[in-house]
Amino acid sequence: MISRCAFVLVALLAPSAVGAQSIDSLTLEEKVGQMLVPRLSGAYQHGDASELGEIETLAREGRIGGVVLFAGSPYASRRLVERLEAVSAIAPLIASDYEWGVAMRVAGAAQLPRAMALGAAGSEELVREHARVTALEARALGVEMVLAPVLDVVAVPGVIGTRSFGSDPERVAALGAAWIEEVQGQGLFAVAKHYPGHGATRDDSHLMLPLVEDPLEVFAARDLVPFERAVEAGVAGIMPGHLAVPALDGRVDRPASRSPEILARLRQGGGAGGLRFEGLIVSDALDMAGARADRWDGGVAVDAVRAGVDLLLLPPDPRVAHVAIVDAVRSGRLPEQRIDEAVARILELKRALVELRATRPPWQELDDAIGGPEAVALADRIASRALTLLDDPAAIVPFASSAPPRLLLASVVRDRDGVTDTDLLRDELRRRASPVRSVVWAESALASADLAALDELARDADAVVVAHYANHRHPANQALDRWLRGLEEAGTPTVLIPFLNPWVAPVVGPGISGRRARLIAWDPSASSQRAVAAALFGEQPITGRLPLPLGPFPLGGGSPRPRSVAVLDDERLRRGWIDPAIDWRPALEILSSGIDEGGFPGAVTVVLHGGEVALAAALGRQTYHAASPEIALDTLWDLASLTKVVVTTTLSMMAVDEGRLDLEAPVASYLPEFSGGGKEAVTIVDLLTHSSGVLWWTDLHLRHGHLPREQAWRAYLDEIDELPLESPPGAEMVYSDLGVMLLGRILERVFGRDLDELARLRILEPLGMADTMFAPPAELLPRIAPTEIDEAWRGRLVHGEVHDENAAGLGGVAPHAGLFSTGRDLAVFTQMLLDGGFGAFGGDAGEGVRLLNGATVRRFTRRVERVPGSSRALGWDTPSQPSSAGALFSPRSFGHTGFTGTSIWIDPERELISILLTNRVHPSRERRGIYALRGRYHDAVASAIDGAP
């Protein structure tokens, strides 16, 4: 999001009117002025001597018809637009280049992917969303004419590059028309460029006059098709390019923008390139070298108008252009009728501006209108869909998230490149793998690098990722190819990722061994870098297709990859599933016997294996009464102490990831009131490993449970702070609810929100855990399994409210207990942990979110050895002797139990998750059969999985 500028906007004057104006009421000087649209920096400037002062003077004099807005901040850009509107006699036309969203010119906006990424994604729906967001943000800034889309059909790796949708004329035409329709559907004006087609030349018209040498039949079948479709779509403007096209006018020394023959084809129709276009012909920038070939600036402007251009963009000196055109008319070298034709079109377009400006949001809402979450999400979605795996013969991609490789990230940037943020991809990879070493080379440095020294960098890497942000023609690419070949021959797989220039991929070829993957990202935006990191670890499918031929790879080529992280089958989780290939009878018989013997009235079990639902079953009833409702897979259970791991431990991981929580820091650094009696030595790790020495439990609810929640919470913590330590910190493991309460209070302070709000916003909603909550509402009562008949304190059956008394005294929201959930929701949560912090749901193309850094998940779920005799990890438990996990789960397993009869165990070695939910405390907590049953049940689960075919 953008930051509000320090200046205060003055009261706005009414925008200039145009309705009363007609050509007859304008002088020749005013008419010519309407045709001139110079550049204006979007930076806020003061004083008449500035560029802005000169532009305002020209507007007052009627010497310009608008501006092309360039780089600046959102608030400054909007302010400049309003100042210009206030001084102009006729409403000024505000234009800008927003080919990849307003971020192309405006700082702080979300950069949308370039057109070729849209071509690779192959979705007209995404093109329309791209155009819609661009139009809405442009309108908020006051921009009314968007100088896009680029409709050039790429035929060579030239200057147009990834600004084009691709090389298929029909596809470029379809995507371009969709973009135009959506922008203009939002009330703005689109300008298609660069007629008659700039995609067949390598030369840059900013620097020279490019020459397109293709014969007429080739040109007509390829380059003109998208412009024909644009006219059919009702495009407001077409921009002729500064390029010579002898196939259309027989000239090699004159740009199309100054060619009467070429623009007559555009306007009048007939023959190749004849479009019968009635809208505005808008010049490309007249300060480009391609426009100024062999002519002085005034002559360029006169030639362009004579050829048929209506709107002259970026004359180097608008006063020079104005004087030259007026003089040409008065001297008879330029018919005034040509001026009148142009101005009639301009004024007709401007009449729509009053209505458009009425929909412009107030400047106070720019924070919400520019760079908001919708734009960021769209950019991420397009970037993900656009990624194109060119080839991967050794199936390197994706890396395993459960056993991530040690990576070397080698970034290649252009010489003197001060723009590319190479740290972003590095940080995204580090969220998933550890360690990730990183090195950045400028092209020239790489071209002369010592390959042996480069080999040393890769010596300890399991794989090398090359992020290429540079040119495809530089000699450095040959050195890069040789280095990668050597790595492959030594057995190190490599992945080449061109971010800036897809033509790098054929130059840095497949190598000898075939242990090289090439993944095209299409642009270096933040969204593309995030998408690459996610794709490398299988968090999203790779579905992009080449929108152009690339070396030996044809149009439409690519090697799609499905998402490799688990996307759980919601149908099985909600309706039930018993995998017929696995003998689940022993495990289910154990649960049935537990019900028959009075250990618990009902249960839900979910077993996941290898990312698939292997078992989802519901047994028994909510109570022992024969009329009690049967347990269903959507039954909600009081999770009791599973709250500690689902909410409190997960939030602790997030706080570590975000630098909010230092595990080795003293508790007192976050809670200064926790002091005295050696408490200054208690650390966050001590709280997470239950080795703080804090008393395990006391009946806080009896003394404070009658208070309003916030008062009760403060009273609870005040009493915990006053309690002496039971043992020195780190001396022994004693499971402590009170220690977890302290941790919860710390989390509320570092995040600045209450625990239940944090859980909802940061964990439950992102993972789609809609049936997981604190303090469930009364309407869910029929779905909730009741717990104990509380004779001692509440004097009734506890049903739909938390069983734990101290949590109940806090209104059901506590760090140690209070969460209710279902087997389905816990399946999504636990699979996220098994997949290293990434959770996906809703099908292969459905939602996915990285909740936690993979290294942090591994750190928290690994046993902490520094506490003598303890089996605890950070927040989690690991198998001990005896263990509720049984004897067969691997030593790397981690899990937790809840007093009400709930448990989770996760075995990374087997990729196995076992969830068991019961209400064993009904009708009394004295029923303890669950303790022996859990171990036997988990052994049966492990045996069933191990014995499956």
Side-chain angles (χ1 to χ4, degrees):
M1 294 292 289
I2 56 178
S3 299
R4 181 158 291 145
C5 295
F7 64 81
V8 178
L9 296 179
V10 298
L12 304 180
L13 298 177
S16 305
V18 71
Q21 299 288 351
S22 67
I23 291 177
D24 293 339
S25 69
L26 301 179
T27 66
L28 174 62
E29 287 79 5
E30 289 171 332
K31 288 189 289 187
V32 172
Q34 286 300 298
M35 301 174 69
L36 297 173
V37 184
R39 76 167 58 234
L40 177 62
S41 169
Y44 187 68
Q45 302 181 65
H46 297 273
D48 291 339
S50 68
E51 176 190 47
L52 174 60
E54 171 65 6
I55 292 294
E56 286 184 317
T57 299
L58 290 170
R60 287 190 190 96
E61 295 173 352
R63 297 298 190 265
I64 60 173
V67 295
V68 178
L69 205 58
F70 276 75
S73 72
Y75 282 96
S77 298
R78 173 71 175 265
R79 173 68 181 121
L80 293 173
V81 168
E82 290 166 347
R83 284 185 60 167
L84 191 61
E85 289 172 348
V87 301
S88 298
I90 300 177
L93 179 65
I94 311 299
S96 195
D97 288 288
Y98 291 156
E99 294 172 19
W100 50 90
V102 303
M104 183 172 174
R105 298 292 185 219
V106 177
Q111 182 176 327
L112 301 179
R114 304 190 186 195
M116 197 165 280
L118 290 165
S123 166
E124 287 189 23
E125 178 186 355
L126 288 178
V127 170
R128 291 183 183 276
E129 281 295 296
H130 186 288
R132 186 182 68 84
V133 169
T134 299
L136 292 175
E137 293 194 347
R139 185 169 65 196
L141 294 171
V143 171
E144 299 134 344
M145 175 174 278
V146 181
L147 304 174
V150 173
L151 295 186
D152 303 314
V153 178
V154 172
V156 298
V159 66
I160 292 301
T162 56
R163 296 168 65 191
S164 164
F165 290 110
S167 67
D168 179 357
E170 292 295 335
R171 195 64 181 147
V172 172
L175 298 182
W179 203 93
I180 290 164
E181 289 168 355
E182 191 63 37
V183 164
Q184 297 193 165
Q186 297 296 328
L188 276 72
F189 311 114
V191 176
K193 57 190 186 185
H194 307 85
Y195 179 87
H198 207 319
T201 175
R202 291 179 170 83
D203 297 326
D204 187 347
S205 53
H206 290 84
L207 308 175
M208 64 186 71
L209 177 62
L211 176 63
V212 181
E213 300 182 273
D214 291 312
L216 181 59
E217 59 271 17
V218 171
F219 201 82
R222 181 189 64 209
D223 298 86
L224 299 177
V225 172
F227 292 99
E228 293 170 354
R229 192 74 60 82
V231 172
E232 293 173 3
V235 69
I238 290 181
M239 178 184 290
H242 302 318
L243 62 157
V245 190
L248 295 182
D249 68 355
R251 297 283 294 269
V252 298
D253 60 345
R254 185 178 63 183
S257 54
R258 288 167 39 205
S259 171
E261 293 84 359
I262 292 178
L263 297 191
R265 289 173 182 263
L266 172 59
R267 183 68 76 194
Q268 298 166 10
L275 301 181
R276 296 192 181 278
F277 175 59
E278 297 179 357
L280 279 178
I281 296 180
V282 182
S283 80
D284 204 347
L286 295 182
D287 58 3
M288 296 164 61
R292 304 165 76 184
D294 75 6
R295 296 290 278 167
W296 69 291
D297 291 344
V300 168
V302 171
D303 283 355
V305 174
R306 182 183 291 113
V309 171
D310 301 313
L311 208 60
L312 302 172
L313 302 188
L314 275 53
D317 186 330
R319 290 188 182 273
V320 169
H322 189 273
V323 168
I325 297 170
V326 170
D327 181 66
V329 173
R330 288 192 169 141
S331 67
R333 292 178 289 116
L334 184 62
E336 190 166 356
Q337 181 184 354
R338 170 79 273 275
I339 304 298
D340 290 346
E341 291 171 354
V343 175
R345 294 187 184 98
I346 293 168
L347 294 182
E348 181 181 359
L349 181 144
K350 284 190 172 186
R351 288 188 180 95
L353 296 183
V354 174
E355 182 178 349
L356 176 63
R357 288 171 183 170
T359 67
R360 187 187 297 170
W363 65 266
Q364 295 93 335
E365 296 178 8
L366 278 179
D367 271 338
D368 298 323
I370 307 296
E374 180 187 11
V376 174
L378 174 63
D380 287 348
R381 192 159 67 251
I382 297 170
S384 297
R385 290 277 296 275
L387 289 180
T388 306
L389 188 62
L390 197 60
D391 60 345
D392 183 14
I396 298 165
V397 177
F399 302 135
S401 59
S402 57
R406 298 167 298 172
L407 295 178
L408 170 65
L409 172 63
S411 301
V412 182
V413 300
R414 291 170 292 184
D415 293 335
R416 299 179 299 278
D417 189 339
V419 177
T420 302
D421 181 7
T422 58
D423 291 346
L424 178 57
L425 179 60
R426 179 202 64 193
D427 293 343
E428 286 293 322
L429 292 175
R430 284 178 176 170
R431 295 190 70 189
R432 296 156 172 86
S434 181
V436 176
R437 297 181 64 195
S438 178
V439 61
V440 180
W441 291 301
E443 289 171 307
S444 295
L446 178 58
S448 59
D450 179 359
L451 294 184
L454 301 184
D455 289 339
E456 185 66 29
L457 290 171
R459 187 177 303 280
D460 296 326
D462 298 317
V464 173
V465 175
V466 177
H468 201 289
Y469 305 93
N471 197 297
H472 73 285
R473 293 190 181 123
H474 199 282
N477 293 315
Q478 281 71 48
L480 178 62
D481 185 49
R482 290 195 302 273
W483 179 54
L484 295 181
R485 285 174 184 263
L487 291 177
E488 294 169 45
E489 290 169 1
T492 303
T494 65
V495 183
L496 172 70
I497 307 167
F499 277 99
L500 189 67
N501 191 322
W503 290 276
V504 167
V507 175
V508 184
I512 298 171
S513 68
R515 294 180 63 79
R516 186 183 308 179
R518 291 177 286 182
L519 179 66
I520 313 295
W522 306 110
D523 70 43
S525 66
S527 293
S528 290
Q529 298 198 56
R530 287 192 292 268
V532 162
L536 287 177
F537 284 87
E539 295 170 7
Q540 64 183 43
I542 302 174
T543 59
R545 294 288 188 173
L546 284 177
L548 76 171
L550 206 56
F553 299 95
L555 175 71
S559 303
R561 288 280 191 276
R563 182 184 269 160
S564 66
V565 297
V567 184
L568 300 177
D569 189 327
D570 248 7
E571 188 75 10
R572 291 180 177 181
L573 287 171
R574 295 184 186 280
R575 292 183 176 272
W577 174 251
I578 299 176
D579 191 332
I582 301 175
D583 184 5
W584 287 115
R585 288 173 299 176
L588 293 174
E589 286 171 2
I590 290 172
L591 296 184
S592 295
S593 66
I595 294 172
D596 294 341
E597 294 167 8
F600 43 86
V604 161
T605 177
V606 176
V607 177
L608 310 177
H609 181 236
E612 300 287 342
V613 180
L615 176 65
L619 301 88
R621 297 181 179 275
Q622 290 188 11
T623 72
Y624 291 106
H625 195 283
S628 175
E630 292 184 348
I631 295 295
L633 282 167
D634 68 348
T635 295
L636 278 81
W637 305 84
D638 181 339
L639 298 186
S641 285
L642 291 190
T643 305
K644 294 180 172 74
V645 289
V646 176
V647 172
T648 308
T649 301
T650 304
L651 290 173
S652 298
M653 294 187 206
M654 291 177 174
V656 169
D657 284 343
E658 296 168 20
R660 300 173 186 262
L661 189 67
D662 180 355
L663 295 182
E664 301 297 338
V667 170
S669 63
Y670 299 95
L671 300 176
E673 58 270 32
F674 185 74
S675 60
K679 294 176 184 174
E680 294 80 1
V682 177
T683 66
I684 303 298
V685 165
D686 294 327
L687 296 182
L688 284 163
T689 56
H690 296 274
S691 59
S692 64
V694 174
L695 181 68
W696 79 276
W697 184 86
T698 186
D699 49 5
L700 298 166
H701 64 285
L702 293 180
R703 293 179 291 282
H704 313 294
H706 61 285
L707 298 171
R709 183 182 185 278
E710 186 56 33
Q711 292 181 35
W713 189 214
R714 287 198 297 268
Y716 275 26
L717 292 165
D718 288 345
E719 183 168 337
I720 295 171
D721 291 338
E722 293 298 321
L723 291 171
L725 296 181
E726 297 289 299
S727 60
E732 60 178 330
M733 192 284 288
V734 177
Y735 186 81
S736 173
D737 279 2
L738 305 188
V740 175
M741 289 184 186
L742 290 172
L743 179 58
R745 189 58 162 182
I746 290 170
L747 292 170
E748 289 186 335
R749 287 192 177 181
V750 300
F751 282 110
R753 291 179 182 268
D754 289 341
L755 193 76
D756 54 342
E757 187 178 15
L758 284 169
R760 178 176 58 82
L761 294 176
R762 300 298 304 270
I763 304 170
L764 307 180
E765 288 183 356
L767 286 177
M769 297 172 65
D771 283 333
T772 305
M773 66 201 78
F774 289 97
E779 58 264 28
L780 292 180
L781 202 63
R783 289 176 52 196
I784 301 174
T787 52
E788 189 172 21
I789 297 174
D790 180 3
E791 298 177 348
W793 185 46
R794 284 169 280 206
R796 53 182 166 78
L797 173 67
V798 179
H799 188 195
E801 60 181 307
V802 63
H803 174 261
D804 182 274
E805 294 90 346
N806 282 338
L810 294 175
V813 180
H816 68 290
L819 201 66
F820 286 73
S821 188
T822 63
R824 180 266 174 198
D825 279 11
L826 291 178
V828 172
F829 173 79
T830 52
Q831 188 65 51
M832 176 273 296
L833 293 172
L834 193 57
D835 283 330
F838 181 86
F841 55 94
D844 188 58
E847 298 297 324
V849 60
R850 174 153 289 280
L851 218 63
L852 301 163
N853 288 357
T856 304
V857 174
R858 292 185 287 276
R859 180 183 183 185
F860 268 69
T861 56
R862 186 173 53 238
R863 180 178 294 188
V864 177
E865 301 291 350
R866 68 184 187 181
V867 182
S870 173
S871 63
R872 306 299 301 192
L874 295 176
W876 291 88
D877 200 4
T878 66
S880 56
Q881 294 300 325
S883 172
S884 63
L888 299 182
F889 271 56
S890 76
R892 287 183 55 205
S893 301
F894 58 96
H896 210 281
T897 61
F899 186 76
T900 52
T902 59
S903 66
I904 291 170
W905 278 100
I906 303 169
D907 187 343
E909 289 188 8
R910 286 187 174 89
E911 296 185 49
L912 172 62
I913 295 169
S914 180
I915 298 163
L916 178 59
L917 304 174
T918 77
N919 54 341
R920 71 95 189 169
V921 293
H922 181 81
S924 167
R925 69 185 64 194
E926 300 306 319
R927 296 171 179 265
R928 299 182 178 273
I930 191 72
Y931 296 120
L933 181 141
R934 279 189 184 124
R936 291 190 293 114
Y937 176 70
H938 287 118
D939 280 346
V941 167
S943 296
I945 293 296
D946 292 346

